Amino acid sequence: MKVVALVSGGKDSCYAMMKCIQYGHEIVALANLMPADDSVDELDSFMYQTVGHQIIVSYAECMGLPLFRRRIQGSTRHQSLNYKTTPGDEVEDMFMLLNEVKRQIPSITAVSSGAIASDYQRLRVESVCSRLGLVSLAYLWKQDQSLLLQEMITNGILAITVKVAAIGLEPSKHLGKEIAFLNTHLHKLKELYGINVCGEGGEYETLTLDCPLFVNARIVLDEFQTVLHSPGSIASVGVIHPLTFHLENKETAISLSNNDKANYSSLGKNGSVFEVQGDCPQRNEATCQSNAERTNLVEVSDDRIYISRTKKDNIFSICCWLQDSCKNSAGSHEDLAIVLKHIESQLTGCGFGWEHVLYIHLYIADMNEFATVNETYVRFITQDKCPFGVPSRSTIELPMLQASLGRAYVEVLVANDNSKNVLHVQSISSWAPSCIGPYSQATLHKEILHMAGQLGLDPATMTLCNEGPSAELEQALENSEAVANVFNCSISTSAIVFTIYCSTNIPLPERLRIQEKQDSFLKQMRLLQLEKGSKCKILYPIFLYVLVPDLPKRAFVEVKPILFVPEDTETAVTSVQNPTSFTVANCWGFQHVQWHDSCIQSCVVSGKICAVILSITEDHVAKICSESLGVKEKDVDYHNSVSKGDMERVSRFCVYLLDKGIVENGFSWEDTMNLRIYFPTNSSIQLETLSLLFKNAMNELVEIDRRVQIGKEPIFNIVPVLGSGSSAASMNNIITCELFARKF
């Protein structure tokens, strides 16, 4: 991509440019924001470094690139973390600056910044980029600061301190010193006082005088004045005011290695400086379409729209799909618009909106339509409608047409409060894959971390690793771990459930390797957490593998973890058995036998969470039906298919075993957040029939046991797949049930 780099003069913005070039991008322009008054060194700005701004003009000549500058006219008006366009705010100066750069150089598609740890600054850069249709590149984001500082020094960043403002940094001793000279001292201060060695907490600011990007000249600071802002305090604040400086020409052949010559060959010999003035014209930045356009949908009769909803009032799931594809439908995007409209209506009826949605499962019939589907999605779910953060999301292709469903199928998880903590990083970095779209990496709500589906993408390039399914899985797990670390947890110790979607494009021999890779990765990560002295109590998650036709970007695997992040680290994570009176077995004729245990996986956080995965294989069906019919198991002949009568007994058995599992752990059906029933589309049972059988089984349960209450809509979703199971090697279950219940 062609990149305009935001430069402050500091080491971070310069090294961020070097990382952009390392990853194959081209720096074509520089952009800088400076004080309105040239004599002012430092502004009271939450966003911009301005100390040393007098020297930034030289960057154009040093790099041979055009430099666009704007005087800061705004102030800090919008101080909350998530930025909203605010006239007169200093962020609008950045918007006007980059808007003019884009106007003059239309080929620019990305913006580079040196953000390392500040969400405040990153979110504002991302906001401006989103409004201008640009990609944010933040290759220093979430990098280890000790390693990063050493990298800068090793890779030729010659930067001096131009501001110090931390205990242990004295203006008389440490201003004007190179970062290489201060490296050891900064690490000592980190041990003593916990400072950020890269200065991310405002401990110090730097000015880069030379680096490999400066192909034409280096900057020599001849004379400067030290200005003290708070002399005599514990942490004296001092800045450098440059008085005179000059440029010292250098031969490119001397300053660059052969590799660097190739990397920086696009940097020219001449640079020009443009000052951007005035206000930019008002423009319509909205990406969503008008209400008139949104309501221009094909009419669908109510009997073709299927809605399910769990019983819980404070947190519940709503699911909607079409019984078959509309004859006049133009594709997945039109079916999705119908489904989202009906979910929106359901939310409104409950007094909620999209801002209350924590997570969205987006299922589509054809991944080739993903781009148009996403365009439809953003007509409904936008950042403006979700001021506390857009929901996290997973996107999967399902064989819906084979199941006589429409082309789009959506499940949303809804909460009746806005206490969620959303992680939404749109910048491309080396940390974890960015969210180039209206979804978030993860949403934490009431101690449960709902993570977006993770692909095996290399974060820095946003491309899939090309070493096969196992390598993709490992990268997806690493990406998941990076996201989990932001919430001070690990997928190896805090995961409750792992759902691993596997593309049908995975060769059969590779499926076994996928599971081996998953097991070994988590084991290694768990040992690493123990070595770090982690005090988190270890959860042992349950696993569900789902075989699907396709995944975004034609990925082999997509990993979707759910984690428990306790507010109290002493929370018990082991199951406490709490048997209660159990009458369903006698009414349906089921009695517990040992093989029942082989059907069920569970992960329980006592008094808080109960997660269950129930797997019914052909062997299990034979046992269930032989017990129900009073015949020998060998006399039950399926001919690779299950009859409606058999499936009726299986559905009752599933409800019986799920009920037993949640009741024995002190939960009820009213605690259910979601219940998914996966079935293979090669089954002889139609989805509509299966749905009716499970609905009848649930109704029978209500009649049998008055403690069970459910609403008028089914509390379960029927999910058509190519296969599912608790093992990647054998995703051939007849039925798989996934239940997640929690108490508040």
Side-chain angles (χ1 to χ4, degrees):
M1 290 186 284
K2 294 186 183 297
V3 179
V4 53
L6 290 169
V7 293
S8 62
K11 65 187 187 326
D12 302 339
S13 58
C14 284
Y15 194 57
M17 286 191 285
M18 293 176 65
K19 298 298 286 186
C20 283
I21 293 172
Q22 176 185 329
Y23 287 113
H25 305 299
E26 180 185 359
I27 309 293
V28 297
L30 308 174
N32 169 252
L33 288 139
M34 58 182 177
D37 184 346
D38 284 335
S39 65
V40 173
D41 290 301
E42 184 178 30
L43 294 178
D44 184 19
S45 169
F46 289 9
M47 278 294 296
Y48 312 119
Q49 173 187 322
T50 56
V51 180
H53 66 86
Q54 300 89 344
I55 292 177
I56 304 302
V57 67
S58 303
Y59 278 35
E61 185 174 343
C62 289
M63 294 183 65
L65 290 176
L67 170 65
F68 294 80
R69 306 189 82 186
R70 177 180 171 84
R71 296 186 184 276
I72 301 168
Q73 300 173 19
S75 58
T76 305
R77 296 194 176 185
H78 192 284
Q79 297 185 15
S80 62
L81 185 60
N82 291 299
Y83 181 73
K84 184 177 181 180
T85 303
T86 305
D89 193 277
E90 60 185 351
V91 175
E92 297 308 302
D93 289 300
M94 184 198 304
F95 175 83
M96 296 170 192
L97 174 63
L98 293 177
N99 183 66
E100 179 62 18
V101 176
K102 185 179 178 183
R103 188 189 71 80
Q104 291 199 35
I105 312 176
S107 61
I108 285 176
T109 56
V111 176
S112 168
S113 68
I116 299 175
S118 171
D119 282 305
Y120 183 92
Q121 293 174 355
R122 173 187 60 79
L123 286 166
R124 280 154 174 72
V125 173
E126 289 177 353
S127 173
V128 169
C129 287
S130 177
R131 292 160 62 188
L132 292 171
L134 299 170
V135 176
S136 171
L137 303 176
Y139 284 116
L140 310 189
W141 181 249
K142 291 294 182 185
Q143 298 302 293
D144 180 277
Q145 292 189 40
S146 294
L147 297 176
L148 193 55
L149 183 61
Q150 187 57 54
E151 279 184 31
M152 293 179 189
I153 296 168
T154 303
N155 286 283
I157 297 282
L158 192 159
I160 61 169
T161 52
V162 290
K163 176 184 177 181
V164 293
I167 186 170
L169 290 176
E170 301 176 28
S172 59
K173 290 183 179 180
H174 301 120
L175 275 175
K177 297 297 190 291
E178 293 182 16
I179 55 173
F181 173 80
L182 292 175
N183 190 9
T184 302
H185 183 62
L186 290 171
H187 279 86
K188 182 179 179 181
L189 296 181
K190 176 188 176 183
E191 293 178 6
L192 291 173
Y193 310 116
I195 75 160
N196 296 278
V197 295
C198 280
E200 272 296 283
E203 293 89 346
Y204 68 94
E205 292 177 359
T206 60
L207 178 67
T208 300
L209 301 178
D210 194 14
C211 71
L213 296 170
F214 291 6
V215 293
N216 296 332
R218 61 178 62 88
I219 301 167
V220 178
L221 182 58
D222 300 310
E223 188 179 359
F224 63 84
Q225 176 185 359
T226 298
V227 180
L228 297 179
H229 285 284
S230 54
S233 66
I234 295 176
S236 298
V237 178
V239 300
I240 279 178
H241 176 73
L243 297 175
T244 60
F245 66 93
H246 71 276
L247 299 184
E248 184 178 280
N249 292 333
K250 60 182 181 180
E251 291 295 330
T252 304
I254 295 175
S255 61
L256 298 179
S257 67
N258 289 333
N259 288 336
D260 287 336
K261 286 180 189 177
N263 289 340
Y264 304 135
S265 61
S266 63
L267 303 181
K269 286 290 181 183
N270 297 301
S272 49
V273 179
F274 304 90
E275 184 164 336
V276 178
Q277 299 178 336
D279 296 336
C280 66
Q282 294 295 315
R283 49 188 253 159
N284 180 15
E285 298 163 14
T287 57
C288 60
Q289 300 190 21
S290 68
N291 289 333
E293 291 175 298
R294 286 184 50 195
T295 55
N296 185 22
L297 302 173
V298 176
E299 291 298 322
V300 178
S301 59
D302 289 343
D303 62 348
R304 291 185 51 248
I305 299 169
Y306 189 99
I307 293 283
S308 68
R309 185 192 185 286
T310 52
K311 176 70 175 174
K312 212 168 180 66
D313 291 326
N314 52 359
I315 182 166
F316 55 90
S317 60
I318 301 175
C319 186
C320 181
W321 70 81
L322 304 179
Q323 289 291 0
D324 54 46
S325 186
C326 181
K327 293 179 181 178
N328 298 321
S329 172
S332 297
H333 62 286
E334 192 164 277
D335 283 7
L336 177 63
I338 294 167
V339 167
L340 290 175
K341 180 185 176 184
H342 282 276
I343 290 181
E344 189 172 69
S345 176
Q346 290 278 319
L347 290 171
T348 302
C350 298
F352 298 144
W354 292 110
E355 69 271 21
H356 294 98
V357 175
L358 306 176
Y359 200 94
I360 296 181
H361 286 83
L362 174 61
Y363 303 126
I364 58 178
D366 186 355
M367 197 58 70
N368 292 318
E369 298 184 59
F370 179 76
T372 55
V373 162
N374 223 32
E375 290 174 5
T376 302
Y377 185 92
V378 299
R379 287 164 52 189
F380 290 84
I381 298 117
T382 65
Q383 293 188 53
D384 287 340
K385 293 181 183 179
C386 304
F388 302 100
V390 289
S392 301
R393 185 182 83 179
S394 62
T395 305
I396 309 295
E397 179 181 317
L398 294 182
M400 292 189 289
L401 298 181
Q402 296 93 309
S404 299
L405 298 184
R407 295 180 175 89
Y409 179 142
V410 175
E411 178 191 335
V412 299
L413 181 65
V414 189
N416 68 348
D417 60 59
N418 289 309
S419 62
K420 62 183 180 182
N421 179 7
V422 175
L423 177 65
H424 185 203
V425 179
Q426 300 175 74
S427 300
I428 293 178
S429 67
S430 298
W431 162 71
S434 64
C435 290
I436 307 298
Y439 64 95
S440 300
Q441 278 98 346
T443 300
L444 178 64
H445 179 259
K446 304 291 187 183
E447 300 186 309
I448 298 180
L449 184 64
H450 305 272
M451 197 178 296
Q454 293 292 326
L455 304 179
L457 292 168
D458 170 39
T461 62
M462 291 297 289
T463 58
L464 289 168
C465 57
N466 56 8
E467 298 174 9
S470 297
E472 264 193 35
L473 177 72
E474 183 172 18
Q475 183 65 62
L477 292 171
E478 289 179 359
N479 295 339
S480 301
E481 181 69 5
V483 173
N485 289 166
V486 175
F487 296 90
N488 299 314
C489 62
S490 168
I491 60 171
S492 64
T493 56
S494 300
I496 304 165
V497 182
F498 276 101
T499 303
I500 301 96
Y501 298 103
C502 300
S503 166
T504 189
N505 296 319
I506 301 175
L508 285 173
E510 283 291 326
R511 293 184 191 172
L512 183 59
R513 295 191 187 99
I514 283 176
Q515 186 160 350
E516 291 173 349
K517 177 63 70 176
Q518 168 107 4
D519 294 342
S520 64
F521 183 93
L522 293 177
K523 183 178 180 180
Q524 290 173 7
M525 289 300 302
R526 198 172 289 126
L527 290 173
L528 184 61
Q529 290 295 315
L530 293 173
E531 288 176 4
K532 289 180 178 179
S534 173
K535 296 181 180 179
C536 292
K537 294 182 181 294
I538 296 176
L539 278 170
Y540 290 93
I542 54 179
F543 296 89
L544 172 62
Y545 295 86
V546 181
L547 188 64
V548 297
D550 205 357
L551 295 167
K553 294 183 177 291
R554 299 292 184 265
F556 285 119
V557 293
E558 179 173 333
V559 176
K560 183 175 70 71
I562 299 177
L563 284 70
F564 175 59
V565 185
E567 296 173 359
D568 175 11
T569 56
E570 298 301 316
T571 298
V573 297
T574 54
S575 169
V576 176
Q577 298 298 319
N578 183 25
T580 63
S581 58
F582 202 71
T583 61
V584 177
N586 293 331
C587 295
W588 271 337
F590 297 117
Q591 297 292 336
H592 182 266
V593 291
Q594 190 171 359
W595 68 264
H596 289 187
D597 298 335
S598 66
C599 300
I600 198 162
Q601 304 177 68
S602 62
C603 181
V604 178
V605 179
S606 181
K608 291 197 173 187
I609 296 167
C610 180
V612 176
I613 291 176
L614 178 61
S615 300
I616 305 298
T617 65
E618 281 189 4
D619 290 342
H620 293 144
V621 172
K623 289 181 169 66
I624 294 166
C625 294
S626 64
E627 288 181 2
S628 300
L629 296 172
V631 299
K632 293 181 179 180
E633 184 180 331
K634 65 180 181 180
D635 294 330
V636 181
D637 186 9
Y638 292 98
H639 302 291
N640 296 319
S641 66
V642 180
S643 69
K644 181 180 177 181
D646 294 333
M647 189 57 74
E648 182 176 34
R649 286 183 283 275
V650 169
S651 64
R652 288 172 172 170
F653 178 79
C654 290
V655 172
Y656 151 74
L657 209 54
L658 288 171
D659 188 45
K660 183 174 184 293
I662 61 176
V663 168
E664 288 186 345
N665 287 294
F667 291 79
S668 72
W669 286 99
E670 290 186 351
D671 296 321
T672 303
M673 282 171 52
N674 60 257
L675 172 57
R676 302 183 192 95
I677 299 170
Y678 301 88
F679 87 105
T681 50
N682 63 0
S683 170
S684 58
I685 303 296
Q686 297 297 309
L687 181 144
E688 193 170 354
T689 301
L690 185 66
S691 179
L692 182 61
L693 292 174
F694 270 91
K695 185 175 182 179
N696 290 340
M698 292 299 301
N699 288 335
E700 290 172 13
L701 177 64
V702 173
E703 293 177 4
I704 293 167
D705 193 338
R706 295 300 177 184
R707 67 182 166 79
V708 180
Q709 296 181 6
I710 57 175
K712 62 179 181 178
E713 297 100 353
I715 66 169
F716 56 84
N717 311 328
I718 304 289
V719 184
V721 294
L722 297 179
S724 60
S726 56
S727 166
S730 57
M731 292 179 278
N732 54 8
N733 286 356
I734 300 298
I735 288 289
T736 305
C737 301
E738 178 191 8
L739 181 145
F740 196 100
R742 74 153 304 161
K743 292 180 179 292
F744 284 98

